[in-house]
Amino acid sequence: REYSRLGGRDLIDQVHEREVQGDWSGALQGYEQMLQMKRVNQIGSNESREEEQSLELQSGLLRSLLELGQLESVLNQVGGIFSRSKNNQNIYNRLSPSAAEAAWRLGRWSLLEDLVKETVSSSALDEDGRYQLSLGKTMLGLHRCSEADATIALTEARTTAMASLSNVSRDSYTRAYPHLLKLHALREIECAIPILCTRVTTGISEGSSERELDIATSFRESIVDSGNRSYGWSKRIELASPEVVGSTIILNTRLALSRFANAPEIEGETWLTIGKRARKQCLFHIAETALAHAAGAISSLPEKDKLRVVSIDHEIQMQLAKVKHATGESSAALMMLERDDCEVRKLLSLDAAKFKKQISHGVVREFTVEMFAKRVLKATEWMAESGLKGGSEVIHRFQLVIRLRPEWEKGNFALARYLDSMLEARISAGIEQFRVRGAGDDVDALRERALAMDTTCHRYLLDAMQAYSQALLHGDKHLFQALPRMLTIWFNLTSIDESTLDSEDLQAILLRSQEQANTQMRNYMKAISSYSFYSALPQLISRVSHQNIDTATIVKKILTRVLSRLSPQAMWPLAWLQNSTNDSRAEIGSDIFKSAMKHHAQQKNTKMHDLLNDSKGLFKFLIELAKYNPKKSSVRTFSVKPWRGTGSAQLIDFVPPIQAALGISRASSHRRGASQSGSGDRDYFPEFIPRMRSFSSQVQVMNSKARPKKITAFAVAPGHTTPVLSKNAESRLQPGDAGEMHFLIKQEAKGDLRKDARVQDLNSVINRLLGASRSGSHGRQRRRLQLRTFSVVCLSEDCGILEWVPNTDSLRNVVSMSYNPQADVHSSRRRGKRMTNFGDVSLRNNFQKCQDMYIKHGNLVKAGLMFEEECLKPYPPLLYWWFVQKFSDPHDWFEARTKFALSAAAWSAVGHVIGLGDRHSENILVDTSSGECVHVDFDCIFDKGLTLPRPEVIPFRLTQNMVDAFGPTGYEGTYRGGLTSAMTTLREHRETLLSVLEPFLKDPVINWKRQRSQQKQGSKSAFTGGESVEAKRSIKVIDGRLRGIYNLRNPNMKKIPRTDGVVDQEDEMSNILPLSVEGQVHRMISEATSNENLVQLYVGWMPWI
């Protein structure tokens, strides 16, 4: 009791949480603190219990030290305890396994032998202890070159690992994962035993260097570099956890094996891997130690072998420099990369012929050209970042990198980004100059004028386009940053009307620059792969009516090329262009399809020709179905004649409009020429996608205001041969079918499905970022963060087909189905139906009374208190019980609840950043099979919720039922951790997100500013070109949020005067100063759960649910 009072139990919980997160430094501090507390207080009279508690803490402390690589500390700690507790076999059995691991990792073989001998019985050890001791015996057998001893001990270790795995395998993969890594490590030892046990044990120091070299060579060829999937080290570590503390089981084993093989090169590579992984996780003390060991291993090689490992030595120096730069030692980092810049200045001064001669030998000083280019690039990026150098000097250094490695994507992209930043800085300076001269306050007009009149801006822009194009030609790692930005600056330049300039000379310069930009795009549009342009189709489609005729022509040719090369996929996003209500757009769309069909005819590809030809009939069928409304509003199903094709192509030939088929499945690097043949494009889409055999004749009308229709397609495997069926049988599920696909076909009277489609594109990019951001302290959580996306295909301006999200129900319905079995049977608190019944007049009146207290009387404090008493307390949350009743298995329940919390966190982060509003309980779905959150309806975006009659003044939905479903910790547990991880990822990739969002906001086809009540499809305002003030404001707001600024301003604060005596604390500084990730998350959660904010929302939002 005293221990708990002093905070011991809280500390234990915190330590265990840190261990799960891989924060072993924090765990070590916690164990040390708890041990100090026990020594100071000396509580309790039960000596055996006190000893057991102390041993648990000591074991945890030793485990933390082992994970952190502090092996000497482990031996010192164990030695001190043994000396104080002589003849205590219990203490020896508990702590000797940790000492054994430290001993074999340090090569203390005599100590290891003593530890193994003095362990009386392995049965007295726990499973982890038995594994550690058996592994120590295995290493001892290898040290003695005894294959029999090593094999016996290895078998013991494997048996123990399998026993541990069987105990936790039903719990979760996360708990089973460390035991799987143990089996991987044992497999590598097993493969190495036959080779390593052939070492001679005598005369090894005299005249045995050739023998040692043979063993090292054999070890590398047979074990390390083996192409066999079971043996190859590189393949296995790629599949392991990216966290250094998660893969140490394997890496530590490899270090020992490489020492047995007397292979310093392999040992150095392994230490380098540990160092790189630790650096990426920001574990800089571990990284620095590992890299020092790597350098020591490489330096132990004979001089004649050091030239062979120069690339490893270079990488070690690069990683050390990155560690120093990350820890604030920028000058030291630069000195490591460039001891002096004489070599760089010398190369910069050479002409083309001398430069080629200088590098023709393949070495610049002691480095290869590739290594030297990497050093120069990294040093240049740091110089530009810190402001040590700038302008033309930095540009010349980037250009040197490209001269060294012309086909290096990273070098070209770095140059492009720097030129782009120089362009933006130059434009900003021009805007300020115009303002000083009193040229007005229209930022967009001033920006366009600054770009039009400044020839330096033209040069930066053209050079940036050139560098972006070169980056796209040589790889696609930066595709989602490079291509949208390149297209944006191209469209910005060519959209300027030269007649707005007074001087004829300036007009001529502008026209010449525009012509150069168009020429560049004309040259590169065939070289850049069609897959790359496919990823930017929405941006290209929005500019088919560009005011510059040459630009519009090039865009049309790009779209034609994409449709010709990727017809099955590209026909869907291009459908709305062909069926546009705008005559000029419809004509362009028709021309694109005709040109693609002509291409297929010339290539004698009859199948693709007929597919595009018949697509018009399929699109027409779907549009007519979307527009059809039964005369009787009570009709829920009706029959149609399914579309079967109008020519040679049948429905089964079409790729279904689903995310898996139309989304990019992978981004493998492509090279120039892959796009020419077209063979490279097929790799970017899944090989196996089910096809649609036939539509069902029965169509379901959904019960919502827009009355969308749910249509079913019967799925079959690709290449399926459909037997001849009667017309009635064809539109029913058949034995050979693989299942059903469901789609929602709808016509939007006020909304705009193109917004939903663009947001889904953005979400796909964010999913890639979340999937790639696997390092750091929240790496394990980041791998589980994901946004559930679905396909949205616009068939015209107001009609579209959406992929049906199966097994989902609205949050409102899920709460309605929930009930609390512990509540009284007749209590209104037992079931959720009362809470979700919007027809309940008393419920609505109670909320309206609370809201009027603020809206009409200005007393927000009292309104918040009334909302708590009148709306929340009478209807306590019930969603927790839905998870308990839906998922009866404890493991399934825990996984579903965790998935709900993490998916809600991911959507909260993204929703706040992009200003996603209208998050009422019908627009948030719950997957009833997994618990995952799914958001729908993205029409109210970019803070348009703040312009509603009842502004949506919260960053995201986090109402009482959602918090209740998170479990006992509420939003303080998994949810807060997931939200922190998601915001960290978004902020780390700020530039990428802005590169993707900027074309969205500047899309002239979609008017993001319109409110729902003002939106009329096909209105002329939707097709005006140019950048709006609203787009610039939205970009600025999003940029601020990605920097940590909470800038969601409540418009009610200025419209409604307060009478409750509370002075509005929101000041300008709170909207300017950035917060840390943790601070930003805290503010977001506080605002989302504030009763004073919830009471201001529209009653239909149902904030009490």
Side-chain angles (χ1 to χ4, degrees):
R1 288 193 299 272
E2 179 71 12
Y3 189 48
S4 298
R5 187 184 70 79
L6 292 171
R9 178 53 54 187
D10 292 339
L11 273 176
I12 290 175
D13 293 339
Q14 292 175 23
V15 167
H16 288 168
E17 182 180 352
R18 288 170 180 172
E19 286 182 332
V20 170
Q21 293 177 349
D23 180 13
W24 292 101
S25 296
L28 177 63
Q29 293 176 2
Y31 282 121
E32 289 175 341
Q33 187 175 352
M34 286 187 286
L35 284 168
Q36 289 173 4
M37 290 170 62
K38 287 191 71 64
R39 294 190 190 105
V40 170
N41 295 283
Q42 294 293 321
I43 58 177
S45 57
N46 190 329
E47 293 184 5
S48 61
R49 185 178 177 183
E50 288 298 313
E51 180 181 298
E52 183 62 28
Q53 287 182 351
S54 296
L55 283 175
E56 286 182 10
L57 297 178
Q58 289 288 356
S59 298
L61 184 141
L62 295 176
R63 184 168 60 250
S64 301
L65 290 172
L66 286 171
E67 291 288 351
L68 293 170
Q70 299 180 26
L71 307 180
E72 292 287 356
S73 298
V74 172
L75 296 181
N76 292 336
Q77 189 82 10
V78 172
I81 295 173
F82 286 173
S83 64
R84 293 193 301 269
S85 308
K86 294 180 180 179
N87 302 321
N88 190 325
Q89 191 63 40
N90 182 37
I91 293 178
Y92 191 88
N93 289 339
R94 290 290 295 272
L95 303 184
S96 60
S98 298
E101 181 177 340
W104 68 256
R105 286 171 63 180
L106 286 170
R108 305 280 185 84
W109 305 114
S110 58
L111 175 59
L112 177 60
E113 192 168 0
D114 292 340
L115 290 167
V116 169
K117 284 180 180 178
E118 292 180 21
T119 303
V120 177
S121 173
S122 61
S123 60
L125 306 176
D126 60 12
E127 288 178 342
D128 286 338
R130 286 198 295 272
Y131 173 82
Q132 286 176 304
L133 204 63
S134 299
L135 186 58
K137 291 179 182 179
T138 306
M139 294 298 181
L140 198 58
L142 284 172
H143 172 67
R144 296 168 177 167
C145 300
S146 173
E147 185 170 351
D149 292 348
T151 304
I152 293 172
L154 181 74
T155 303
E156 291 178 5
R158 178 172 283 149
T159 301
T160 305
M162 288 298 296
S164 301
L165 180 62
S166 64
N167 291 334
V168 300
S169 58
R170 285 182 56 83
D171 293 345
S172 68
Y173 182 74
T174 302
R175 288 197 63 190
Y177 187 71
H179 304 287
L180 290 173
L181 289 181
K182 290 178 182 178
L183 294 175
H184 279 291
L186 294 176
R187 176 57 177 164
E188 292 190 350
I189 297 173
E190 184 178 36
C191 296
I193 285 175
I195 295 175
L196 297 181
C197 286
T198 60
R199 295 171 298 144
V200 291
T201 57
T202 58
I204 203 163
S205 60
E206 296 181 8
S208 59
S209 59
E210 292 184 6
R211 175 64 176 164
E212 291 177 1
L213 182 60
D214 290 341
I215 292 174
T217 303
S218 178
F219 180 73
R220 174 177 283 280
E221 292 175 352
S222 303
I223 306 300
V224 180
D225 296 335
S226 173
N228 188 305
R229 186 178 295 274
S230 301
Y231 298 163
W233 280 14
S234 60
K235 291 179 181 178
R236 179 172 278 117
I237 204 65
E238 286 173 5
L239 298 174
S241 167
E243 289 92 353
V244 64
V245 292
S247 54
T248 48
I249 296 173
I250 295 177
L251 294 171
N252 289 333
T253 303
R254 292 181 177 181
L255 288 171
L257 295 178
S258 59
R259 289 168 188 152
F260 285 136
N262 194 25
E265 181 181 345
I266 300 173
E267 182 184 351
E269 290 174 351
T270 306
W271 278 119
L272 176 59
T273 302
I274 296 173
K276 288 174 70 172
R277 290 181 166 227
R279 180 189 63 78
K280 290 178 180 179
Q281 284 185 258
C282 302
L283 301 173
F284 300 120
H285 58 291
I286 296 179
E288 204 158 6
T289 301
L291 293 171
H293 281 299
I298 296 301
S299 64
S300 67
L301 284 167
E303 288 297 326
K304 60 184 180 65
D305 294 332
K306 287 186 178 179
L307 186 60
R308 189 181 72 249
V309 296
V310 65
S311 60
I312 301 176
D313 187 55
H314 155 75
E315 187 61 29
I316 292 170
Q317 296 301 316
M318 281 289 291
Q319 292 300 321
L320 279 171
K322 289 179 180 180
V323 169
K324 289 192 175 296
H325 183 265
T327 54
E329 299 181 55
S330 301
S331 299
L334 283 171
M335 286 293 293
M336 292 184 70
L337 296 185
E338 292 189 8
R339 297 178 182 87
D340 59 69
D341 60 352
C342 294
E343 197 73 50
V344 174
R345 284 189 274 115
K346 177 183 176 182
L347 290 172
L348 286 171
S349 65
L350 298 177
D351 57 28
K354 292 181 179 178
F355 182 85
K356 185 176 181 180
K357 182 179 179 181
Q358 177 70 22
I359 66 170
S360 61
H361 302 293
V363 177
V364 182
R365 293 177 62 179
E366 69 268 31
F367 306 113
T368 65
V369 172
E370 180 179 344
M371 297 174 196
F372 187 70
K374 284 184 177 181
R375 284 177 170 253
V376 175
L377 176 61
K378 183 55 65 178
T380 305
E381 289 177 337
W382 289 344
M383 289 174 183
E385 177 187 318
S386 60
L388 293 176
K389 293 183 180 181
S392 59
E393 191 172 4
V394 170
I395 293 173
H396 290 155
R397 289 177 63 93
F398 279 127
Q399 290 172 342
L400 172 61
V401 173
I402 295 173
R403 290 178 73 185
L404 290 166
R405 296 183 63 187
E407 297 186 359
W408 191 22
E409 178 199 5
K410 188 174 182 179
N412 283 286
F413 180 72
L415 172 60
R417 292 294 296 172
Y418 187 74
L419 289 168
D420 206 342
S421 67
M422 293 291 290
L423 169 66
E424 291 300 316
R426 185 85 181 184
I427 292 175
S428 298
I431 292 174
E432 290 302 316
Q433 289 182 2
F434 285 130
R435 280 177 170 169
V436 171
R437 298 173 189 171
D441 295 324
D442 188 340
V443 177
D444 293 319
L446 293 177
R447 179 182 177 82
E448 185 175 291
R449 189 175 175 186
L451 177 59
M453 297 179 65
D454 193 340
T455 56
T456 303
C457 284
H458 297 178
R459 189 179 75 251
Y460 284 149
L461 188 147
L462 293 171
D463 290 346
M465 283 183 60
Q466 174 82 9
Y468 277 132
S469 300
Q470 287 294 323
L472 291 167
L473 283 177
H474 302 302
D476 57 8
K477 183 177 180 180
H478 303 95
L479 170 64
F480 297 100
Q481 290 175 270
L483 185 56
R485 184 56 186 165
M486 182 184 73
L487 294 175
T488 297
I489 59 178
W490 173 41
F491 293 143
N492 287 348
L493 179 63
T494 57
S495 64
I496 301 174
D497 186 356
E498 75 279 1
S499 62
T500 58
L501 299 177
D502 300 330
S503 168
E504 292 184 1
D505 292 339
L506 290 176
Q507 290 180 3
I509 292 171
L510 176 62
L511 288 173
R512 186 163 59 249
S513 297
Q514 290 177 338
E515 184 180 352
Q516 290 176 3
N518 286 330
T519 301
Q520 281 190 26
M521 285 304 304
R522 196 178 292 110
N523 293 336
Y524 281 111
M525 70 178 184
K526 292 183 179 179
I528 297 174
S529 82
S530 52
Y531 149 77
S532 298
F533 283 122
Y534 177 85
S535 68
L537 272 185
Q539 187 179 1
L540 290 164
I541 292 172
S542 69
R543 301 292 180 145
V544 290
S545 298
H546 197 280
Q547 63 194 64
N548 186 296
I549 297 175
D550 288 343
T551 301
T553 302
I554 295 170
V555 170
K556 185 177 176 181
K557 288 181 178 179
I558 293 173
L559 293 175
T560 301
R561 178 171 175 265
V562 174
L563 183 59
S564 300
R565 296 291 176 88
L566 306 171
S567 299
Q569 293 83 14
M571 58 178 284
W572 289 105
L574 284 165
W576 84 265
L577 194 60
Q578 187 182 30
N579 300 294
S580 175
T581 56
N582 181 282
D583 293 338
S584 63
R585 290 180 179 276
E587 183 180 355
I588 293 172
S590 179
D591 289 344
I592 290 172
F593 272 78
K594 288 178 181 178
S595 299
M597 290 165 58
K598 183 179 179 181
H599 168 81
H600 289 310
Q602 292 172 348
Q603 299 294 322
K604 297 182 180 180
N605 191 342
T606 307
K607 183 179 179 180
M608 288 296 107
H609 176 276
D610 294 342
L611 189 74
L612 292 180
N613 188 43
D614 284 5
S615 65
K616 191 169 185 178
L618 176 58
F619 298 152
K620 182 180 178 183
F621 165 77
L622 296 173
I623 291 173
E624 289 177 351
L625 188 61
K627 292 182 177 180
Y628 174 74
N629 281 315
K631 294 181 180 180
K632 295 182 179 180
S633 59
S634 60
V635 172
R636 290 291 172 263
T637 60
F638 63 91
S639 299
V640 296
K641 181 181 179 182
W643 186 87
R644 294 183 174 86
T646 57
S648 302
Q650 300 298 315
L651 183 62
I652 197 172
D653 298 319
F654 288 84
V655 167
I658 58 177
Q659 185 81 20
L662 303 184
I664 297 164
S665 63
R666 70 181 181 90
S668 59
S669 297
H670 60 273
R671 291 291 179 265
R672 193 184 317 173
S675 59
Q676 301 294 337
S677 64
S679 61
D681 297 322
R682 290 194 295 270
D683 295 336
Y684 296 107
F685 298 100
E687 294 181 5
F688 182 89
I689 288 293
R691 298 303 176 102
M692 302 175 291
R693 177 180 59 78
S694 173
F695 288 123
S696 172
S697 59
Q698 295 297 310
V699 178
Q700 181 180 353
V701 181
M702 306 306 293
N703 187 21
S704 66
K705 187 176 181 180
R707 304 198 73 192
K709 291 86 181 175
K710 181 183 178 183
I711 189 170
T712 300
F714 304 112
V716 294
H720 174 81
T721 303
T722 306
V724 178
L725 300 169
S726 65
K727 291 186 177 179
N728 290 333
E730 191 179 48
S731 58
R732 295 197 301 267
L733 190 67
Q734 297 299 315
D737 293 344
E740 295 179 345
M741 298 181 188
H742 301 285
F743 302 96
L744 194 69
I745 301 175
K746 63 188 297 188
Q747 180 184 25
E748 282 280 6
K750 295 181 179 180
D752 192 340
L753 282 175
R754 289 171 297 183
K755 291 183 182 180
D756 292 65
R758 298 301 292 268
V759 173
Q760 290 299 333
D761 293 337
L762 172 65
N763 290 342
S764 296
V765 174
I766 291 174
N767 277 338
R768 291 188 187 94
L769 299 178
L770 291 172
S773 298
R774 302 187 300 170
S775 59
S777 58
H778 298 281
R780 188 175 289 106
Q781 274 189 335
R782 293 194 200 188
R783 289 198 301 280
R784 300 192 64 183
L785 290 171
Q786 197 79 359
L787 302 174
R788 181 83 165 269
T789 59
F790 51 90
S791 173
V792 178
V793 174
C794 299
L795 301 171
S796 64
E797 280 85 355
D798 60 346
C799 296
I801 179 170
L802 291 76
E803 181 181 0
W804 184 264
V805 184
N807 305 316
T808 54
D809 205 347
S810 68
L811 178 65
R812 179 181 175 183
N813 286 345
V814 171
V815 174
S816 179
M817 292 185 290
S818 305
Y819 72 93
N820 182 357
Q822 296 179 352
D824 186 81
V825 176
H826 303 290
S827 171
S828 61
R829 302 185 178 203
R830 181 176 174 87
R831 295 187 177 274
K833 288 184 178 179
R834 176 90 184 275
M835 183 191 309
T836 59
N837 182 13
F838 192 67
D840 188 338
V841 177
S842 63
L843 179 59
R844 297 204 315 270
N845 288 342
N846 284 343
F847 178 77
Q848 195 63 52
K849 181 172 62 175
C850 299
Q851 192 174 80
D852 288 346
M853 180 56 63
Y854 172 57
I855 301 297
K856 294 182 179 180
H857 304 289
N859 195 330
L860 183 56
V861 173
K862 189 173 181 179
L865 295 174
M866 289 175 62
F867 176 69
E868 175 77 25
E869 295 295 328
E870 301 287 340
C871 298
L872 297 185
K873 287 186 177 180
Y875 305 98
L878 298 168
L879 193 54
Y880 167 85
W881 290 106
W882 180 84
F883 280 90
V884 172
Q885 293 145 11
K886 182 69 177 178
F887 304 96
S888 56
D889 182 81
H891 172 65
D892 293 342
W893 164 79
F894 181 78
E895 285 297 312
R897 197 187 72 180
T898 302
K899 185 166 286 189
F900 178 78
L902 290 177
S903 58
W907 278 109
S908 298
V910 175
H912 173 61
V913 168
I914 65 175
L916 179 60
D918 200 22
R919 294 302 90 194
H920 58 74
S921 56
E922 297 285 348
N923 280 343
I924 298 178
L925 309 181
V926 179
D927 189 326
T928 56
S929 64
S930 67
E932 184 179 13
C933 270
V934 186
H935 283 233
V936 296
D937 192 352
F938 303 100
D939 188 64
C940 191
I941 197 173
F942 299 133
D943 284 345
K944 300 308 176 289
L946 294 175
T947 65
L948 297 172
R950 284 285 181 268
E952 200 163 327
V953 297
I954 55 171
F956 42 77
R957 188 180 190 100
L958 190 61
T959 48
Q960 61 170 351
N961 273 285
M962 295 183 68
V963 176
D964 184 57
F966 296 157
T969 59
Y971 53 68
E972 292 297 345
T974 303
Y975 176 81
R976 183 183 286 271
L979 184 56
T980 302
S981 299
M983 285 305 303
T984 301
T985 299
L986 296 180
R987 288 175 62 166
E988 286 175 352
H989 296 89
R990 182 181 61 86
E991 292 186 358
T992 301
L993 290 173
L994 291 175
S995 297
V996 176
L997 280 166
E998 187 177 6
F1000 282 22
L1001 286 159
K1002 294 180 179 178
D1003 190 333
V1005 176
I1006 304 173
N1007 191 340
W1008 302 99
K1009 188 176 182 180
R1010 288 177 296 171
Q1011 300 176 22
R1012 284 175 176 267
S1013 60
Q1014 299 172 332
Q1015 290 176 339
K1016 295 181 180 179
Q1017 298 299 334
S1019 63
K1020 292 182 180 180
S1021 63
F1023 302 106
T1024 56
E1027 301 174 13
S1028 66
V1029 175
E1030 185 67 17
K1032 297 293 295 181
R1033 188 202 69 82
S1034 297
I1035 292 173
K1036 184 178 180 180
V1037 168
I1038 292 171
D1039 182 44
R1041 289 171 185 170
L1042 292 172
R1043 293 180 184 274
I1045 299 172
Y1046 188 86
N1047 50 23
L1048 186 71
R1049 302 193 183 191
N1050 186 345
N1052 289 335
M1053 293 301 175
K1054 292 186 177 181
K1055 292 190 298 183
I1056 303 173
R1058 299 281 293 268
T1059 62
D1060 49 17
V1062 177
V1063 179
D1064 182 17
Q1065 296 180 354
E1066 183 178 289
D1067 55 34
E1068 290 300 320
M1069 294 305 295
S1070 65
N1071 296 309
I1072 296 175
L1073 296 177
L1075 302 169
S1076 66
V1077 174
E1078 290 76 11
Q1080 187 179 16
V1081 166
H1082 177 76
R1083 177 74 186 274
M1084 290 158 60
I1085 292 176
S1086 298
E1087 296 289 338
T1089 56
S1090 168
N1091 289 341
E1092 294 183 1
N1093 285 339
L1094 293 171
V1095 78
Q1096 301 178 49
L1097 302 177
Y1098 173 57
V1099 64
W1101 203 86
M1102 303 180 78
W1104 56 85
I1105 292 183

